[in-house]
Amino acid sequence: MTESVVEKVVRPERRLSGTWLEVIASNLDYHRATFLWKCEGLSEAQLRQRPLGSSALTLLGLMRHLQVVERAWFQRTLAATTANFHPYRTHVTADGEEWFDESDPTPASEVYGDYLKACEESRQLFTKVTEDLGRIVPNRAFGDTDVRFVLEHVIEEYARHVGHADLLREAVDGATGE
């Protein structure tokens, strides 16, 4: 049997009440864990598989992308620091977007470790970067926004990509859930 990269994932309970920041932090962790849950038990080959003929998306590619989401929004945008992105191989798509090249030889276990590290870095920055929710931050994608918008956008990124992961996982091995 091929060894799985992401072992047992326990999704945290979401806070349904509390301060806005408590609810947001809880939802971020829930979405992070849900994404990993979609990758749970799969081998490196399965994480690299392109199971949908109409898409080049892979679960491993999404994992690489989500580490960029974490570092770009928490480190670069909210903390105004230099983000430490892993140098994964990329290519420019037909519509001009940069995406991860699935020929990148970085082992899936290393990508997984990097993703976990990026999430932990974001958690460590969370309290500091959310001290003033009305603070305006330069935003390359949308123009200047406040901190609340950035946090909502990170949740939006996760919601969209967890949906992608759900479809990819079902196509890889038939597993479904929520």
Side-chain angles (χ1 to χ4, degrees), residues 136-150:
I136 301 298
V137 294
N139 185 320
R140 294 179 184 185
F142 302 103
D144 294 349
T145 62
D146 68 16
V147 173
R148 284 180 294 264
F149 177 87
V150 172

Side-chain angles (χ1 to χ4, degrees), residues 1-2 19 49-50 60 86 88 90 99-100 147 161 171:
M1 173 135 183
T2 308
T19 68
Q49 185 178 342
R50 291 183 192 170
L60 193 61
H86 191 287
Y88 298 114
T90 61
W99 194 254
F100 293 102
V147 173
H161 296 312

Side-chain angles (χ1 to χ4, degrees), residues 78-99:
L78 292 179
T81 61
T82 301
N84 186 21
F85 299 111
H86 191 287
Y88 298 114
R89 187 179 300 160
T90 61
H91 71 278
V92 177
T93 65
D95 60 359
E97 295 287 322
E98 188 173 8
W99 194 254

Side-chain angles (χ1 to χ4, degrees), residues 108-140:
S109 60
E110 204 173 303
V111 175
Y112 174 51
D114 183 48
Y115 171 73
L116 293 176
K117 181 179 178 189
C119 292
E120 186 53 36
E121 291 164 353
S122 296
R123 284 184 198 97
Q124 289 175 6
L125 286 171
F126 190 85
T127 300
K128 180 181 183 225
V129 300
T130 60
E131 287 174 343
D132 178 4
L133 293 173
R135 176 173 56 98
I136 301 298
V137 294
N139 185 320
R140 294 179 184 185

Side-chain angles (χ1 to χ4, degrees), residues 11-74:
R11 294 189 301 164
E13 291 291 322
R14 287 186 286 177
R15 294 214 39 179
L16 304 177
S17 63
T19 68
W20 189 79
L21 283 175
E22 290 169 340
V23 172
I24 291 296
S26 164
N27 273 276
L28 276 171
D29 277 336
Y30 179 81
H31 284 301
R32 288 168 178 144
T34 299
F35 172 73
L36 290 176
W37 179 51
K38 297 299 176 180
C39 299
E40 179 183 279
L42 296 178
S43 67
E44 172 139 358
Q46 289 172 308
L47 290 171
R48 290 182 182 277
Q49 185 178 342
R50 291 183 192 170
L52 303 173
S54 62
S55 174
L57 286 178
T58 69
L59 288 165
L60 193 61
L62 287 175
M63 194 178 295
R64 289 183 188 115
H65 174 69
L66 288 170
Q67 67 82 27
V68 169
V69 167
E70 294 282 349
R71 290 179 170 129
W73 293 107
F74 281 95

